[in-house]
Amino acid sequence: MPRVLIILGSKSDLPVAEKATKILKSFDIEYDVTVASAHRTPERVADLAKNSGAEVFIAVAGLSAALPGVVAAATLKPVIGVPVSGKLNLDSILSIVQMPGGIPVACVGLDRGDNAALLAAEILAVKDDKIQAKLAEHRSKMAEDVAKDSEEVSRNVQC
């Protein structure tokens, strides 16, 4: 059973979801990906939110981006919204960020499926020491990479 369910508003959102799946795979977190539209298949969205065994939902949507809110309205589990960039970037961001009181949705940046997966991992890590350790290792690796970049820049920049 997947611990994270990634729901895409449409197939065109798959590249954003792939950023999330890459992270989830690296943390050995079981996940599933499906397509369900808040507007075209609202019953399917509600059914997924109510009946999935997932512990965390990632909802990826563009344009009016109602999907994360519809998922959140149908479950008590955490929902992370990922706005998808397009011609009207503000629409998707505001649709997720401006949820009414009482139905929270976490929102990451445009197309940031990777950050959504990391946030899902952090949520799961509250009760999973293995994921917590992998998160610490991930952060340490990022710090090492920045240090290497700094050394490289310092060597190549003449003052």
Side-chain angles (χ1 to χ4, degrees):
M1 176 165 311
R3 296 187 74 183
V4 177
L5 179 58
I6 302 170
I7 305 174
L8 310 178
S10 69
K11 184 174 68 171
S12 65
D13 299 329
L14 190 56
V16 175
E18 287 171 340
K19 294 176 186 179
T21 62
K22 181 179 177 184
I23 295 291
L24 294 170
K25 281 179 192 174
S26 74
F27 282 83
D28 296 321
I29 296 172
E30 302 87 23
Y31 66 88
D32 199 3
V33 181
T34 192
V35 176
S37 168
H39 300 105
R40 295 180 296 263
T41 60
E43 295 86 9
R44 176 169 163 67
V45 173
D47 181 59
L48 288 166
K50 289 176 185 174
N51 298 315
S52 169
E55 297 171 60
V56 180
F57 293 92
I58 297 174
V60 182
L63 297 173
S64 68
L67 182 61
V70 172
V71 173
T75 186
L76 298 176
K77 298 174 182 177
V79 177
I80 304 164
V82 184
V84 176
S85 62
K87 293 178 184 174
L88 303 170
N89 292 337
L90 283 179
D91 285 2
S92 61
I93 292 171
L94 293 175
S95 295
I96 298 171
V97 171
Q98 291 298 101
M99 286 296 296
I103 307 295
V105 170
C107 183
V108 295
L110 278 171
D111 301 326
R112 297 312 316 222
D114 51 348
N115 277 347
L118 287 167
L119 182 54
E122 289 174 352
I123 291 167
L124 295 171
V126 169
K127 292 188 176 184
D128 190 321
D129 292 338
K130 289 180 184 177
I131 296 174
Q132 194 172 64
K134 288 183 181 193
L135 280 165
E137 183 180 314
H138 178 76
R139 295 255 178 120
S140 178
K141 171 85 168 82
M142 286 191 312
E144 290 172 15
D145 290 346
V146 170
K148 287 178 187 174
D149 290 347
S150 178
E151 290 172 14
E152 182 181 330
V153 167
S154 294
R155 281 193 309 271
N156 293 321
V157 173
Q158 300 287 331
C159 295

